[in-house]
Amino acid sequence: CTFGESPMALLPLGVWLAMLIAALCSTADTFLIPQLSYISTYLRLKPDVAGVTLLAFGNGAPDVFTGIAVATAHPEEVDFSLLLADLVGGSIFIMTVVVGAVVWVAASHSPGWRLSRMPFYRDTISFFVAITLVLAVASNGVVRPWEGVFFLLNYLFYVALVIAIRYYIQPCWPEDTFGVYLRGKAQPVLQRAEPALRAISRRATPPA
């Protein structure tokens, strides 16, 4: 069907889009989140570990199947630039709009909440590395099979890094924050080095 060139066509399309988004949200809230919570509780997974495995699979499965369908439907007409733009654009939307909305809502409902710094650094650096790899692969305009395998290995390395940090490293940090850990370790060193730093500062300062 066609709506012609009338701008009024945007009104029913906008209402239909809002209905689809509401249906998607209710479906995820009813069928996805409870099952993932039960599985993560049954497997005794930490929240961040469950987020990068079970929740990531649940959220990323539609993108995976959509990409495979696009790539195999018409192999001679596949536009990988459009596919990569869709995936990278979706990731940036999540890292900006979704994270911003969650932080805003969390700050208004739970004022004074704290951010665990090390997981934040870990995920931010890993996301930057993944985007850099996409840029490196797309720079020559050719996608090779070994590059796809390399992306899969990169994700497995990220999951292993999350598990190692969450179960073996973070429990050793007081209050589960990277900054507190560094300050605690660096404070004795800074106290011992303070006299030497003052002496160097006095020597570097020219006499009046």
Side-chain angles (χ1 to χ4, degrees):
C1 61
T2 177
F3 291 96
E5 298 180 357
S6 175
M8 295 300 295
L10 297 177
L11 181 59
L13 291 177
V15 174
W16 180 244
L17 179 61
M19 292 177 59
L20 292 177
I21 294 176
L24 180 62
C25 294
S26 63
T27 301
D29 188 47
T30 304
F31 298 101
L32 179 62
I33 302 301
Q35 282 73 13
L36 291 181
S37 300
Y38 175 79
I39 295 175
S40 61
T41 303
Y42 180 77
L43 297 177
R44 298 180 181 178
L45 298 177
K46 299 294 184 180
D48 49 353
V49 177
V52 302
T53 53
L54 299 178
L55 188 58
F57 293 154
N59 289 335
D63 294 328
V64 172
F65 294 122
T66 301
I68 293 176
V70 170
T72 56
H74 302 284
E76 68 282 355
E77 301 177 358
V78 174
D79 188 358
F80 283 103
S81 61
L82 177 60
L83 185 60
L84 290 178
D86 173 54
L87 297 177
V88 175
S91 301
I92 294 177
F93 179 85
I94 293 174
M95 294 294 294
T96 54
V97 177
V98 175
V99 171
V102 170
V103 170
W104 183 28
V105 173
S108 60
H109 285 75
S110 301
W113 61 284
R114 301 182 61 185
L115 174 67
S116 187
R117 300 181 185 179
M118 183 56 192
F120 179 77
Y121 295 153
R122 175 202 66 201
D123 297 336
T124 304
I125 294 174
S126 300
F127 180 76
F128 177 77
V129 170
I131 293 296
T132 304
L133 292 177
V134 172
L135 176 63
V137 170
S139 60
N140 57 2
V142 179
V143 180
R144 299 178 177 84
W146 65 267
E147 293 173 339
V149 175
F150 184 75
F151 274 107
L152 295 177
L153 294 178
N154 182 44
Y155 173 73
L156 295 178
F157 174 78
Y158 170 64
V159 172
L161 179 64
V162 171
I163 294 175
I165 290 177
R166 189 63 181 87
Y167 287 100
Y168 299 102
I169 299 178
Q170 273 189 260
C172 301
W173 296 345
E175 300 184 18
D176 193 26
T177 55
F178 189 47
V180 174
Y181 173 78
L182 287 183
R183 286 196 298 269
K185 292 296 183 181
Q187 191 66 28
V189 178
L190 294 177
Q191 290 177 352
R192 291 195 299 267
E194 186 175 359
L197 294 176
R198 289 181 178 177
I200 294 174
S201 178
R202 286 195 297 268
R203 293 176 185 174
T205 303

